[in-house]
Amino acid sequence: KRGKSAYIQSTATTDEGLKKYSLLRGLVNEGFDVEKILGHSKFNEMDAESVASLMQYRLDSVANNAITHINKPKDMFGAEVDFVNSFFEKPSRGITTPFDFLNNFCLGLVPKDSMFWGACSNNGKGRSLIFLAVYLAMTQNASVTVLENEMDYQRMAQAALVTACNAPFAQELTGCKLYIPEKRIVTALYKDNNGDFLYRYKDDEGNFTESAEQYQQRIASKSDEYNMVKTVAEYLQTNVKNKLLFKDIASNYTDSALVRYFNQAIRANGSDVVIYDTLKNSPSVGGSSKIGDWSALMNTATILQEAVAKAGQASAIFSFQLDRNAYHRRPEELNPDNIASCSQLLHI
């Protein structure tokens, strides 16, 4: 084992090589035999992603062969009465959501099921999913993982906090009845108990005359609004810790990488719900997304839906973007032409 690690260390010379051999060292340290990978005829052409995919393929092949020979066909009606009575003890319902139409028509978020949410650009797909994620974590004690290729951690954290401050379901738990816009939280602009804004002291030239710590202490002594926001933050830190996880996947959302993210979220992290925002065509080998390719998008959706069904007792929600023509159509009239891969906006 030590000899293999030394060989791997000595042969990594480029940035991509460092990634690849770092992965191999990790496999060796976990007890995996990497001799066949090192001896692969195209090993020198492989990058780290290719090595990971090869390992996953071989593991899946072994597992599928073993499971296929173990599982036998089951009699559909061999114990039908017991099947009917089993629902008294464990009704077949999913996790309750804040949306009545989902609870009534879909029985909530059912394990192994996938749900796809479509909306036009800037119609609030991300915000609605954050609202849902916070609701599930706070009220249903559900573990939620959010996979994002558009919104970064900072923006996600801001949106989650302002949801926990303002949403009625959250206020019932925290006991803090307030309404505060996100822009005031992120600029640390709070009102005193008379409703007046508390600004940081400045001199005539606009330079601050009190430190950030002094300003925060003055706010804490005069603003119930700030203290309620702080109480909400303390509640989240104490009661919802590790219930809402975030992963930025903007750098890699190929099909194989997405399957790995979902497996990690469900099998390793124990997530009950995985949210993917936004479903797009996977980047091609050259790195560019195949915009407008309906068949490729459908293939990605199918792969991920199957991955969720096989990974464990979790459900998934995928958001996707509609083009502007969808504004002029009824929901039942939508077709593949109305589903846009992405506006391809780059947030800098």
Side-chain angles (χ1 to χ4, degrees):
K1 180 175 177 180
R2 185 176 299 173
K4 292 177 185 176
S5 295
Y7 170 75
I8 290 171
Q9 175 67 37
S10 65
T11 51
T13 57
T14 65
D15 287 344
E16 189 56 47
L18 288 172
K19 293 180 183 179
K20 178 166 66 173
Y21 286 105
S22 178
L23 172 61
L24 291 174
R25 282 198 304 275
L27 292 171
V28 170
N29 292 336
E30 292 295 326
F32 289 93
D33 187 355
V34 298
E35 290 291 347
K36 290 186 178 180
I37 297 178
L38 291 169
H40 195 283
S41 60
K42 295 185 178 181
F43 174 75
N44 291 334
E45 303 172 19
M46 292 182 179
D47 56 14
E49 185 67 34
S50 300
V51 171
S53 298
L54 179 60
M55 286 294 296
Q56 184 67 50
Y57 169 77
R58 289 182 173 175
L59 179 61
D60 288 345
S61 296
V62 173
N64 290 337
N65 288 334
I67 293 171
T68 299
H69 287 90
I70 292 174
N71 289 346
K72 295 180 180 180
K74 296 181 180 180
D75 184 352
M76 288 291 293
F77 304 124
E80 198 66 6
V81 174
D82 291 339
F83 181 68
V84 170
N85 292 335
S86 67
F87 298 115
F88 286 99
E89 183 174 346
K90 189 176 180 181
S92 183
R93 290 192 63 89
I95 302 173
T96 301
T97 76
F99 309 118
D100 288 340
F101 71 95
L102 289 183
N103 301 329
N104 294 333
F105 292 101
C106 304
L107 299 180
L109 302 179
V110 179
K112 296 181 178 290
D113 277 4
S114 296
M115 195 173 294
F116 295 81
W117 294 23
C120 294
S121 179
N122 293 321
N123 273 16
K125 293 189 302 299
R127 292 282 175 168
S128 65
L129 291 174
I130 292 170
F131 179 86
L132 173 62
V134 173
Y135 176 89
L136 295 174
M138 291 187 70
T139 70
Q140 302 301 307
N141 197 33
S143 296
V144 183
T145 294
V146 179
L147 304 176
E148 275 281 356
N149 56 27
E150 292 192 350
M151 187 178 294
D152 62 21
Y153 173 81
Q154 182 70 21
R155 293 171 61 207
M156 170 78 176
Q158 292 171 189
L161 175 59
V162 77
T163 299
C165 287
N166 295 317
F169 69 79
Q171 294 180 351
E172 291 180 6
L173 296 173
T174 63
C176 297
K177 307 294 183 181
L178 77 160
Y179 169 74
I180 181 168
E182 181 178 330
K183 64 182 179 181
R184 288 213 286 114
I185 295 178
V186 301
T187 56
L189 180 60
Y190 295 94
K191 294 180 179 179
D192 63 18
N193 297 339
N194 295 320
D196 298 321
F197 288 112
L198 294 167
Y199 296 97
R200 190 172 172 183
Y201 292 143
K202 298 179 181 179
D203 59 23
D204 294 337
E205 296 180 354
N207 300 312
F208 291 124
T209 59
E210 66 177 340
S211 67
E213 183 179 359
Q214 291 171 332
Y215 178 50
Q216 185 267 327
Q217 291 174 351
R218 181 163 61 88
I219 293 288
S221 66
K222 295 184 176 182
S223 174
D224 288 344
E225 183 181 61
Y226 162 74
N227 288 313
M228 283 192 288
V229 173
K230 185 179 176 182
T231 298
V232 172
E234 291 171 344
Y235 179 92
L236 295 174
Q237 187 171 310
T238 301
N239 298 282
V240 199
K241 187 175 182 179
N242 294 325
K243 285 295 182 181
L244 179 52
L245 305 179
F246 171 87
K247 186 176 182 67
D248 186 343
I249 61 171
S251 63
N252 186 2
Y253 50 92
T254 59
D255 290 347
S256 59
L258 286 170
V259 170
R260 191 161 62 252
Y261 299 148
F262 273 84
N263 284 332
Q264 179 187 38
I266 298 171
R267 293 174 175 170
N269 299 336
S271 296
D272 302 305
V273 180
V274 181
I275 297 173
Y276 176 31
D277 180 43
T278 301
L279 179 65
K280 307 175 184 179
N281 288 330
S282 296
S284 64
V285 177
S288 59
S289 183
K290 299 180 284 293
I291 302 173
D293 189 341
W294 164 252
S295 62
L297 185 65
M298 183 173 62
N299 184 62
T300 296
T302 301
I303 290 172
L304 296 180
Q305 186 176 14
E306 292 174 350
V308 171
K310 294 176 182 178
Q313 295 297 312
S315 59
I317 297 176
F318 304 85
S319 73
F320 62 91
Q321 187 167 303
L322 301 174
D323 70 3
R324 291 188 176 91
N325 290 328
Y327 282 116
H328 309 292
R329 293 180 180 271
R330 297 174 60 84
E332 63 270 20
E333 297 172 342
L334 294 176
N335 58 62
D337 293 334
N338 298 126
I339 299 178
S341 184
C342 179
S343 295
Q344 296 300 303
L345 295 178
L346 179 63
H347 301 286
I348 302 178

